[in-house]
Amino acid sequence: MTLKQGIFGMAAGLLVAGSAAMAQEIRFMCYSDGNECEAAGEIIDRFEAENEGVTVVIDKVPYKAILENLPVQLAAGTGPDMAKVTDLGGLSQYYLDLAPHVDTAYWEESFGPILNWYRSGPEDSGVYGLHSQLTITGPYINTTLFEQAGVEVPGEDATWDDWAEAARAVAEATETPFAMAIDRSGHRIAGPAISYGAQLFAEDGTPILVDEGFQTFAQKFVDWNADGTMARDVWGATGGTTYQDAAQEFINGELVFYYSGSWNVQRMDSSIGDAFDWAVVSSPCGPAACSGMPGGAGIVGFKDTEHPEIVAKLIDFLAQKDNYAELAGKSLNIPAHGVVITEGMTYESASPAAGAALNAYASQLPKVSPIAFAYQGYKLNRAMFNISATRITQAIVGELTVEEAMERAKEDLAQALDEAGE
Amino acid sequence: MLLRLISPLMNLIDLPMQFLQRRFGITRLAWVFLLPNLLLFGTFAFLPILLNFAYAFTGTDKILLMERSFVGTENFVQLLDCDNYLDPNTCVRDLFWRSVHNTAWFIVLQVGFMVGLSLLTALVLNRKIRARGFFRAVFFFPVLLSPVVVALIWKWVLQRNGILNAGLEAVGLESVVWMLDRHWAFFWSVFLSVWAHMGFYTLILLAGLQAIPRDVYEAAVMDAANPWRTFRRITLPLLMPTMLVVLVLALIKGVQTFDEVYAFSGGGPGSATTLIIQYIYETGFAGAPRLFGPAAAASLLLALLLVVLTGVQLWITRRSSNG
């Protein structure tokens, strides 16, 4: 080999190796309730500008793909580099531990106990996810309908019964088709059930789901569906694990009281416009609490990624105070970042109603029961959510009595725990 | 002209073909041609079947086989554990048996209506009626639609503020929330399935009707047979082989129904329209944790049923082709 050939060969080798090192493509699987992916995209553009050679491809997918396709992809080792997920604990086995790549003290200080929601158990101290969207469940009410009906809006400590009575009165007076609705989701009824005394876990931490408090609320909910207080279409017209919300009914002005959550503020704001006035009110009380259910979504990296450092760097970039505040502000979400919360959020793109709604939701956080936080952090909570939705629906449509539905729920939970090796 | 253009290409292929013939011999060459398809078919059909067997006899929520534990026939035992098979409430896996019951009723009604209405439509479309070509196209059109589109169309028609209720109210009748009533929901699930697939079976029956020799009918006219007698004694017996094929095809398709009903009703209200494929899908993929074992066991039981039905179809097809 001549010297010329050698130099040429080395140069070619270096070029190939260099371009391989330069071209780092990160695939980010993202879903939006409103504009979260777009808001994150703007910040990610800046990250790309600061990190030459890194390309982040945002694959925007429906929420169903995150719930159903992503876990299978991850199990098969063909998942993306990072994703926005809601089954926070359930996917913990696949998460990339960011701790070796980030300032863990900053993360602990900023996100504190929420980091536990992403961990596999109490002994795990890794840093896995950026909680980009802290949500809390609670009610939206159509205040225009209350005014038209001349019914006083129940106060902060009003019970579920008070709200049911008021919503029925408004619906009757204004000939509105539905008085109340709760999204068809086990997560959504968890807050009310806890307010009625549901413990969900035994003293030793074993999940039990059904107890006296849970059954009491289940019975009340089934009765409300039977007497027309609740829009029966939401829970009663579907089956299985199908998620069904009632946002469109509320947006159409066909619903007085809609129990959903803070993730819908952006949708309400943009869809309702000035068609009518709406507000977010305190979570109704039961005998045990006035609790909503926390939750939300987080951005996580996966340990199968070929670029763990870049993924960690990107998530850490999003977690920085200013970027995080920008993300929460643009997507109209409640922040989970301690300093951002303390300094207060400005929602520049929000209408006064949306701003008030977000603040109302944020003010509910102190009322959230510790059981609700524990439930949200439990890695098999999705199994419990699905069981609740399936079995309570069967009681609503009359396939089972409430007692039978609760017995079945216990058996389903036992099978789920058994299969999951718990 | 065309031949002149492609002949150099044929010569190009000719050389490797001659080499392969010399290398493998003329009889074994067939396998060379079959190999690519066999590889694809093996990877995407046989391998999943084998994997399904493996999942059915293993437990835990792990997806990788090496991480799953062998549980023997436990998944089957649990699925089949019932005090009374006619009452799903007495079964350990009550939702499985509800879906089995629903599927049984679904295929009885859907196949019954499907074959009956397809026959009726084929008989009408076989007559010399005005705009026959147009009507044949109209009845076949739904077959071209995606199942999800079919489901959404009927969902919109039947919803609380849908066009059907608007029509009922326009003529002074009360509107009905169709999807809240288990019987109505089931009826409409069968209806939309029949509506969506009827055109296909009508086409087969129409071909069967047109294959009946005209001289048989001429002889019937000469014997002064009335239309009903002609239908009963000539059309029906001569159409029977085609009818049987249609019946078995509709039966197999009925058992496999999932997408349109799932998109239409989500299996509800409650579990009123949950069919067996939906049960398998939700148990294996939509639930949490993902119960791959019970889902695989249920799908093997379904496969067994389909094998029996396919066997019946093959037997009927052979019998009819042998005269």
Side-chain angles (χ1 to χ4, degrees):
Chain A
M1 189 168 66
T2 64
L3 181 66
K4 202 174 165 187
Q5 280 173 323
I7 292 170
F8 181 76
M10 276 170 67
L14 281 171
L15 193 69
V16 170
S19 42
M22 291 284 285
Q24 296 186 93
E25 187 183 88
I26 304 294
R27 296 207 81 97
F28 174 26
M29 189 189 264
C30 184
Y31 84 93
S32 279
D33 288 312
N35 64 342
E36 291 87 1
C37 299
E38 290 76 10
E42 288 173 25
I43 302 166
I44 289 170
D45 286 344
R46 294 204 298 272
F47 177 82
E48 285 176 326
E50 284 178 22
N51 293 272
E52 212 178 317
V54 175
T55 313
V56 182
V57 181
I58 301 179
D59 297 312
K60 198 173 168 189
V61 296
Y63 180 47
K64 211 174 169 59
I66 298 285
L67 285 183
E68 291 173 14
N69 300 359
L70 179 63
V72 179
Q73 286 180 7
L74 291 172
T78 58
D81 297 289
M82 52 193 280
K84 183 181 163 202
V85 297
T86 54
D87 188 8
L88 310 179
L91 298 174
S92 59
Q93 58 180 311
Y94 305 112
Y95 294 161
L96 169 72
D97 187 3
L98 310 178
H101 311 285
V102 300
D103 177 1
T104 49
Y106 169 79
W107 277 74
E108 289 287 352
E109 191 189 338
S110 305
F111 301 101
I114 289 177
L115 293 177
N116 288 331
W117 293 356
Y118 295 83
R119 289 171 176 153
S120 57
E123 68 290 341
D124 189 351
S125 61
V127 173
Y128 301 101
L130 168 65
H131 204 68
S132 59
Q133 201 177 348
L134 178 63
T135 61
I136 177 166
T137 59
Y140 295 85
I141 60 161
N142 184 326
T143 47
T144 300
L145 288 175
F146 271 87
E147 281 165 25
Q148 285 173 353
V151 174
E152 199 179 328
V153 175
E156 198 165 317
D157 297 326
T159 62
W160 274 97
D161 285 326
D162 297 334
W163 275 106
E165 198 182 324
R168 270 195 304 261
V170 172
E172 259 175 49
T174 55
E175 293 184 357
T176 306
F178 309 115
M180 299 175 99
I182 300 180
D183 291 335
R184 184 174 187 269
S185 148
H187 175 270
R188 227 64 83 241
I189 58 157
I194 291 166
S195 299
Y196 272 83
Q199 296 298 308
L200 303 169
F201 298 93
E203 279 180 13
D204 63 355
T206 317
I208 51 167
L209 184 61
V210 177
D211 59 9
E212 202 186 329
F214 190 89
Q215 186 159 341
T216 306
F217 177 73
Q219 183 67 61
K220 196 166 263 293
F221 186 57
V222 169
D223 292 344
W224 278 337
N225 272 276
D227 70 12
T229 302
M230 286 283 167
R232 201 159 175 249
D233 301 41
V234 182
W235 280 66
T238 190
T241 55
T242 311
Y243 173 76
Q244 179 67 49
D245 69 26
Q248 203 52 53
E249 283 76 7
F250 187 77
I251 290 164
N252 292 345
E254 295 176 321
L255 179 58
V256 179
F257 173 105
Y258 172 39
Y259 193 85
S260 182
S262 56
W263 58 92
N264 269 327
V265 168
Q266 210 251 357
R267 185 176 173 190
M268 296 300 176
D269 193 28
S270 57
S271 303
I272 295 171
D274 55 4
F276 58 84
D277 292 331
W278 57 278
V280 167
V281 293
S282 304
S283 251
C285 299
C290 312
S291 182
M293 181 75 186
I299 298 171
V300 295
F302 298 112
K303 57 186 170 193
D304 278 350
T305 178
E306 289 174 15
H307 312 291
E309 282 180 21
I310 297 292
V311 168
K313 195 175 177 185
L314 172 55
I315 297 175
D316 193 44
F317 184 77
L318 290 164
Q320 296 311 304
K321 196 193 81 182
D322 292 342
N323 292 335
Y324 187 92
E326 181 186 334
L327 181 61
K330 281 185 176 165
S331 57
L332 303 191
N333 276 303
I334 301 169
H337 189 297
V339 182
V340 176
I341 296 169
T342 314
E343 290 183 358
M345 278 294 303
T346 46
Y347 298 103
E348 282 167 11
S349 60
S351 69
L358 287 163
N359 287 328
Y361 272 123
S363 71
Q364 293 301 302
L365 274 171
K367 287 188 185 176
V368 174
S369 159
I371 300 168
F373 277 105
Y375 196 20
Q376 180 56 34
Y378 179 56
K379 68 175 181 179
L380 288 179
N381 60 11
R382 245 192 95 222
M384 295 164 80
F385 295 155
N386 284 345
I387 291 166
S388 311
T390 304
R391 294 305 184 180
I392 290 178
T393 301
Q394 285 189 283
I396 288 169
V397 302
E399 281 179 5
L400 301 173
T401 63
V402 172
E403 290 76 19
E404 286 169 343
M406 296 299 105
E407 281 308 311
R408 286 291 181 183
K410 286 180 196 169
E411 289 165 18
D412 292 347
L413 180 63
Q415 191 200 9
L417 295 176
D418 186 40
E419 289 284 337
E422 289 285 303
Chain B
M1 180 67 184
L2 187 68
L3 271 176
R4 209 177 301 155
L5 275 173
I6 59 169
S7 61
L9 281 175
M10 297 304 287
N11 287 339
L12 266 177
I13 300 168
D14 195 39
L15 277 171
M17 282 302 110
Q18 283 179 10
F19 167 75
L20 287 172
Q21 264 191 32
R22 275 198 304 273
R23 181 81 180 77
F24 296 105
I26 191 82
T27 45
R28 276 183 292 179
L29 192 62
W31 290 103
V32 176
F33 292 130
L34 283 172
L35 191 66
N37 194 34
L38 277 177
L39 279 175
L40 282 174
F41 198 69
T43 310
F44 296 108
F46 284 124
L47 187 64
I49 291 171
L50 292 176
L51 285 173
N52 196 80
F53 269 98
Y55 278 99
F57 292 96
T58 52
T60 80
D61 60 342
K62 301 282 186 289
I63 198 168
L64 298 176
L65 268 181
M66 51 279 227
E67 293 176 0
R68 297 176 62 80
S69 51
F70 180 74
V71 294
T73 56
E74 193 186 312
N75 290 322
F76 294 95
V77 169
Q78 288 204 352
L79 282 176
L80 299 172
D81 189 354
C82 258
D83 287 342
N84 176 3
Y85 288 105
L86 297 176
D87 180 6
N89 280 339
T90 64
C91 303
V92 170
R93 297 277 165 262
D94 62 322
L95 291 173
F96 171 71
W97 283 99
R98 281 181 195 280
S99 71
V100 169
H101 280 222
N102 290 340
T103 308
W105 276 111
F106 184 85
I107 54 176
V108 166
L109 294 171
Q110 192 240 29
V111 173
F113 281 118
M114 184 86 83
V115 175
L117 289 172
S118 298
L119 177 63
L120 198 66
T121 314
L123 286 169
V124 173
L125 293 179
N126 196 37
R127 295 171 74 91
K128 283 178 184 158
I129 55 168
R130 192 175 289 182
R132 188 166 64 167
F134 169 74
F135 283 114
R136 282 180 183 177
V138 164
F139 279 99
F140 191 72
F141 178 69
V143 178
L144 303 175
L145 295 177
S146 139
V148 177
V149 173
V150 169
L152 290 179
I153 289 172
W154 285 101
K155 215 171 172 174
W156 287 331
V157 168
L158 297 167
Q159 65 190 9
R160 191 182 276 268
N161 299 324
I163 194 167
L164 184 59
N165 275 333
L168 288 176
E169 284 170 9
V171 296
L173 296 171
E174 279 209 8
S175 62
V176 181
V177 189
W178 305 102
M179 298 313 291
L180 277 183
D181 182 285
R182 52 186 293 109
H183 301 296
W184 275 120
F186 197 82
F187 166 79
W188 286 114
S189 299
V190 172
F191 176 89
L192 80 90
S193 183
V194 171
W195 181 83
H197 302 291
M198 203 183 85
F200 174 69
Y201 300 106
T202 300
L203 208 67
I204 298 176
L205 289 172
L206 198 57
L209 282 173
Q210 287 173 354
I212 298 174
R214 307 303 310 166
D215 52 357
V216 188
Y217 287 108
E218 284 163 12
V221 171
M222 288 175 75
D223 289 343
N226 63 29
W228 171 241
R229 202 175 169 82
T230 308
F231 173 72
R232 221 159 42 91
R233 295 297 170 100
I234 296 172
T235 309
L236 215 50
L238 290 177
L239 194 62
M240 202 46 86
T242 317
M243 285 274 285
L244 285 171
V245 171
V246 163
L247 188 77
V248 179
L249 278 178
L251 209 64
I252 292 171
K253 187 96 178 124
V255 178
Q256 292 173 328
T257 303
F258 167 58
D259 32 19
E260 63 231 22
V261 175
Y262 182 63
F264 174 65
S265 66
S271 61
T273 58
T274 302
L275 302 180
I276 196 160
I277 305 278
Q278 183 183 339
Y279 174 82
I280 293 167
Y281 164 69
E282 292 203 326
T283 306
F285 298 100
R290 289 168 183 79
L291 307 178
F292 298 119
S299 74
L300 275 185
L301 293 175
L302 176 69
L304 196 68
L305 177 67
L306 287 174
V307 165
V308 172
L309 290 175
T310 309
V312 172
Q313 186 206 0
L314 286 174
W315 178 71
I316 289 167
T317 314
R318 276 201 199 121
R319 201 165 151 249
S320 59
S321 62
N322 292 340

